[in-house]
mmCIF file with all atom_site columns, all heavy atoms in Angstrom:
data_model
loop_
_atom_site.group_PDB
_atom_site.id
_atom_site.type_symbol
_atom_site.label_atom_id
_atom_site.label_alt_id
_atom_site.label_comp_id
_atom_site.label_asym_id
_atom_site.label_entity_id
_atom_site.label_seq_id
_atom_site.pdbx_PDB_ins_code
_atom_site.Cartn_x
_atom_site.Cartn_y
_atom_site.Cartn_z
_atom_site.occupancy
_atom_site.B_iso_or_equiv
_atom_site.pdbx_formal_charge
_atom_site.auth_seq_id
_atom_site.auth_comp_id
_atom_site.auth_asym_id
_atom_site.auth_atom_id
_atom_site.pdbx_PDB_model_num
ATOM 1  N N   . ILE M 1 311 ? 72.964 114.352 113.392 1.00 97.00 ? 311 ILE M N   1
ATOM 2  C CA  . ILE M 1 311 ? 73.782 113.365 114.103 1.00 97.00 ? 311 ILE M CA  1
ATOM 3  C C   . ILE M 1 311 ? 74.881 114.055 114.913 1.00 97.00 ? 311 ILE M C   1
ATOM 4  O O   . ILE M 1 311 ? 75.156 113.601 116.045 1.00 97.00 ? 311 ILE M O   1
ATOM 5  C CB  . ILE M 1 311 ? 74.391 112.371 113.093 1.00 97.00 ? 311 ILE M CB  1
ATOM 6  C CG1 . ILE M 1 311 ? 73.322 111.663 112.273 1.00 97.00 ? 311 ILE M CG1 1
ATOM 7  C CG2 . ILE M 1 311 ? 75.293 111.364 113.778 1.00 97.00 ? 311 ILE M CG2 1
ATOM 8  C CD1 . ILE M 1 311 ? 72.348 110.852 113.161 1.00 97.00 ? 311 ILE M CD1 1
ATOM 9  N N   . ILE M 1 312 ? 75.479 115.054 114.358 1.00 97.00 ? 312 ILE M N   1
ATOM 10 C CA  . ILE M 1 312 ? 76.533 115.842 115.075 1.00 97.00 ? 312 ILE M CA  1
ATOM 11 C C   . ILE M 1 312 ? 75.897 116.380 116.417 1.00 97.00 ? 312 ILE M C   1
ATOM 12 O O   . ILE M 1 312 ? 76.485 116.230 117.453 1.00 97.00 ? 312 ILE M O   1
ATOM 13 C CB  . ILE M 1 312 ? 77.085 116.965 114.255 1.00 97.00 ? 312 ILE M CB  1
ATOM 14 C CG1 . ILE M 1 312 ? 77.863 116.373 113.010 1.00 97.00 ? 312 ILE M CG1 1
ATOM 15 C CG2 . ILE M 1 312 ? 77.961 117.895 115.084 1.00 97.00 ? 312 ILE M CG2 1
ATOM 16 C CD1 . ILE M 1 312 ? 78.349 117.449 112.101 1.00 97.00 ? 312 ILE M CD1 1
ATOM 17 N N   . ALA M 1 313 ? 74.761 116.998 116.299 1.00 97.00 ? 313 ALA M N   1
ATOM 18 C CA  . ALA M 1 313 ? 74.108 117.568 117.440 1.00 97.00 ? 313 ALA M CA  1
ATOM 19 C C   . ALA M 1 313 ? 73.753 116.493 118.505 1.00 97.00 ? 313 ALA M C   1
ATOM 20 O O   . ALA M 1 313 ? 73.979 116.740 119.699 1.00 97.00 ? 313 ALA M O   1
ATOM 21 C CB  . ALA M 1 313 ? 72.840 118.317 117.025 1.00 97.00 ? 313 ALA M CB  1
ATOM 22 N N   . GLN M 1 314 ? 73.332 115.373 118.035 1.00 97.00 ? 314 GLN M N   1
ATOM 23 C CA  . GLN M 1 314 ? 72.941 114.282 118.975 1.00 97.00 ? 314 GLN M CA  1
ATOM 24 C C   . GLN M 1 314 ? 74.158 113.768 119.729 1.00 97.00 ? 314 GLN M C   1
ATOM 25 O O   . GLN M 1 314 ? 74.150 113.572 120.946 1.00 97.00 ? 314 GLN M O   1
ATOM 26 C CB  . GLN M 1 314 ? 72.320 113.124 118.146 1.00 97.00 ? 314 GLN M CB  1
ATOM 27 C CG  . GLN M 1 314 ? 72.045 111.892 118.929 1.00 97.00 ? 314 GLN M CG  1
ATOM 28 C CD  . GLN M 1 314 ? 71.733 110.655 118.058 1.00 97.00 ? 314 GLN M CD  1
ATOM 29 O OE1 . GLN M 1 314 ? 71.199 110.809 116.974 1.00 97.00 ? 314 GLN M OE1 1
ATOM 30 N NE2 . GLN M 1 314 ? 72.082 109.497 118.572 1.00 97.00 ? 314 GLN M NE2 1
ATOM 31 N N   . LYS M 1 315 ? 75.298 113.549 118.993 1.00 97.00 ? 315 LYS M N   1
ATOM 32 C CA  . LYS M 1 315 ? 76.516 113.025 119.617 1.00 97.00 ? 315 LYS M CA  1
ATOM 33 C C   . LYS M 1 315 ? 77.123 114.054 120.491 1.00 97.00 ? 315 LYS M C   1
ATOM 34 O O   . LYS M 1 315 ? 77.720 113.698 121.581 1.00 97.00 ? 315 LYS M O   1
ATOM 35 C CB  . LYS M 1 315 ? 77.483 112.565 118.506 1.00 97.00 ? 315 LYS M CB  1
ATOM 36 C CG  . LYS M 1 315 ? 77.038 111.306 117.770 1.00 97.00 ? 315 LYS M CG  1
ATOM 37 C CD  . LYS M 1 315 ? 76.946 110.127 118.663 1.00 97.00 ? 315 LYS M CD  1
ATOM 38 C CE  . LYS M 1 315 ? 76.519 108.867 117.984 1.00 97.00 ? 315 LYS M CE  1
ATOM 39 N NZ  . LYS M 1 315 ? 76.448 107.644 118.840 1.00 97.00 ? 315 LYS M NZ  1
ATOM 40 N N   . LYS M 1 316 ? 77.088 115.354 120.101 1.00 97.00 ? 316 LYS M N   1
ATOM 41 C CA  . LYS M 1 316 ? 77.645 116.388 121.007 1.00 97.00 ? 316 LYS M CA  1
ATOM 42 C C   . LYS M 1 316 ? 76.923 116.461 122.342 1.00 97.00 ? 316 LYS M C   1
ATOM 43 O O   . LYS M 1 316 ? 77.517 116.604 123.377 1.00 97.00 ? 316 LYS M O   1
ATOM 44 C CB  . LYS M 1 316 ? 77.629 117.723 120.294 1.00 97.00 ? 316 LYS M CB  1
ATOM 45 C CG  . LYS M 1 316 ? 78.631 117.868 119.135 1.00 97.00 ? 316 LYS M CG  1
ATOM 46 C CD  . LYS M 1 316 ? 78.614 119.227 118.469 1.00 97.00 ? 316 LYS M CD  1
ATOM 47 C CE  . LYS M 1 316 ? 79.159 120.269 119.441 1.00 97.00 ? 316 LYS M CE  1
ATOM 48 N NZ  . LYS M 1 316 ? 79.280 121.565 118.792 1.00 97.00 ? 316 LYS M NZ  1
ATOM 49 N N   . LYS M 1 317 ? 75.622 116.358 122.251 1.00 97.00 ? 317 LYS M N   1
ATOM 50 C CA  . LYS M 1 317 ? 74.823 116.363 123.460 1.00 97.00 ? 317 LYS M CA  1
ATOM 51 C C   . LYS M 1 317 ? 75.017 115.130 124.272 1.00 97.00 ? 317 LYS M C   1
ATOM 52 O O   . LYS M 1 317 ? 75.144 115.214 125.517 1.00 97.00 ? 317 LYS M O   1
ATOM 53 C CB  . LYS M 1 317 ? 73.306 116.488 123.118 1.00 97.00 ? 317 LYS M CB  1
ATOM 54 C CG  . LYS M 1 317 ? 72.382 116.614 124.321 1.00 97.00 ? 317 LYS M CG  1
ATOM 55 C CD  . LYS M 1 317 ? 70.939 116.791 123.850 1.00 97.00 ? 317 LYS M CD  1
ATOM 56 C CE  . LYS M 1 317 ? 70.005 116.855 125.077 1.00 97.00 ? 317 LYS M CE  1
ATOM 57 N NZ  . LYS M 1 317 ? 68.539 116.955 124.617 1.00 97.00 ? 317 LYS M NZ  1
ATOM 58 N N   . GLN M 1 318 ? 75.046 113.997 123.654 1.00 97.00 ? 318 GLN M N   1
ATOM 59 C CA  . GLN M 1 318 ? 75.230 112.678 124.334 1.00 97.00 ? 318 GLN M CA  1
ATOM 60 C C   . GLN M 1 318 ? 76.543 112.597 125.122 1.00 97.00 ? 318 GLN M C   1
ATOM 61 O O   . GLN M 1 318 ? 76.597 112.139 126.248 1.00 97.00 ? 318 GLN M O   1
ATOM 62 C CB  . GLN M 1 318 ? 75.172 111.511 123.360 1.00 97.00 ? 318 GLN M CB  1
ATOM 63 C CG  . GLN M 1 318 ? 75.306 110.148 123.980 1.00 97.00 ? 318 GLN M CG  1
ATOM 64 C CD  . GLN M 1 318 ? 75.276 109.069 122.912 1.00 97.00 ? 318 GLN M CD  1
ATOM 65 O OE1 . GLN M 1 318 ? 74.949 109.327 121.747 1.00 97.00 ? 318 GLN M OE1 1
ATOM 66 N NE2 . GLN M 1 318 ? 75.644 107.835 123.340 1.00 97.00 ? 318 GLN M NE2 1
ATOM 67 N N   . HIS M 1 319 ? 77.600 113.190 124.537 1.00 97.00 ? 319 HIS M N   1
ATOM 68 C CA  . HIS M 1 319 ? 78.933 113.064 125.169 1.00 97.00 ? 319 HIS M CA  1
ATOM 69 C C   . HIS M 1 319 ? 79.455 114.378 125.736 1.00 97.00 ? 319 HIS M C   1
ATOM 70 O O   . HIS M 1 319 ? 80.625 114.438 126.157 1.00 97.00 ? 319 HIS M O   1
ATOM 71 C CB  . HIS M 1 319 ? 79.955 112.506 124.161 1.00 97.00 ? 319 HIS M CB  1
ATOM 72 C CG  . HIS M 1 319 ? 79.564 111.068 123.771 1.00 97.00 ? 319 HIS M CG  1
ATOM 73 N ND1 . HIS M 1 319 ? 79.738 109.994 124.529 1.00 97.00 ? 319 HIS M ND1 1
ATOM 74 C CD2 . HIS M 1 319 ? 78.969 110.621 122.560 1.00 97.00 ? 319 HIS M CD2 1
ATOM 75 C CE1 . HIS M 1 319 ? 79.326 108.921 123.878 1.00 97.00 ? 319 HIS M CE1 1
ATOM 76 N NE2 . HIS M 1 319 ? 78.887 109.267 122.723 1.00 97.00 ? 319 HIS M NE2 1
ATOM 77 N N   . GLY M 1 320 ? 78.599 115.472 125.695 1.00 97.00 ? 320 GLY M N   1
ATOM 78 C CA  . GLY M 1 320 ? 79.030 116.729 126.265 1.00 97.00 ? 320 GLY M CA  1
ATOM 79 C C   . GLY M 1 320 ? 80.208 117.314 125.550 1.00 97.00 ? 320 GLY M C   1
ATOM 80 O O   . GLY M 1 320 ? 81.122 117.861 126.150 1.00 97.00 ? 320 GLY M O   1
ATOM 81 N N   . LEU M 1 321 ? 80.236 117.251 124.202 1.00 97.00 ? 321 LEU M N   1
ATOM 82 C CA  . LEU M 1 321 ? 81.335 117.816 123.381 1.00 97.00 ? 321 LEU M CA  1
ATOM 83 C C   . LEU M 1 321 ? 81.111 119.253 123.065 1.00 97.00 ? 321 LEU M C   1
ATOM 84 O O   . LEU M 1 321 ? 80.053 119.644 122.588 1.00 97.00 ? 321 LEU M O   1
ATOM 85 C CB  . LEU M 1 321 ? 81.460 116.977 122.055 1.00 97.00 ? 321 LEU M CB  1
ATOM 86 C CG  . LEU M 1 321 ? 81.592 115.428 122.236 1.00 97.00 ? 321 LEU M CG  1
ATOM 87 C CD1 . LEU M 1 321 ? 81.602 114.756 120.867 1.00 97.00 ? 321 LEU M CD1 1
ATOM 88 C CD2 . LEU M 1 321 ? 82.780 115.045 123.043 1.00 97.00 ? 321 LEU M CD2 1
ATOM 89 N N   . SER M 1 322 ? 82.145 120.062 123.394 1.00 96.00 ? 322 SER M N   1
ATOM 90 C CA  . SER M 1 322 ? 81.991 121.527 123.172 1.00 96.00 ? 322 SER M CA  1
ATOM 91 C C   . SER M 1 322 ? 82.577 122.029 121.946 1.00 96.00 ? 322 SER M C   1
ATOM 92 O O   . SER M 1 322 ? 82.331 123.164 121.538 1.00 96.00 ? 322 SER M O   1
ATOM 93 C CB  . SER M 1 322 ? 82.599 122.226 124.355 1.00 96.00 ? 322 SER M CB  1
ATOM 94 O OG  . SER M 1 322 ? 83.991 121.913 124.517 1.00 96.00 ? 322 SER M OG  1
#
Side-chain angles (χ1 to χ4, degrees):
I311 300 300
I312 293 174
Q314 175 194 328
K315 291 295 181 178
K316 287 182 70 173
K317 182 179 179 181
Q318 180 182 349
H319 297 285
L321 306 177
S322 59

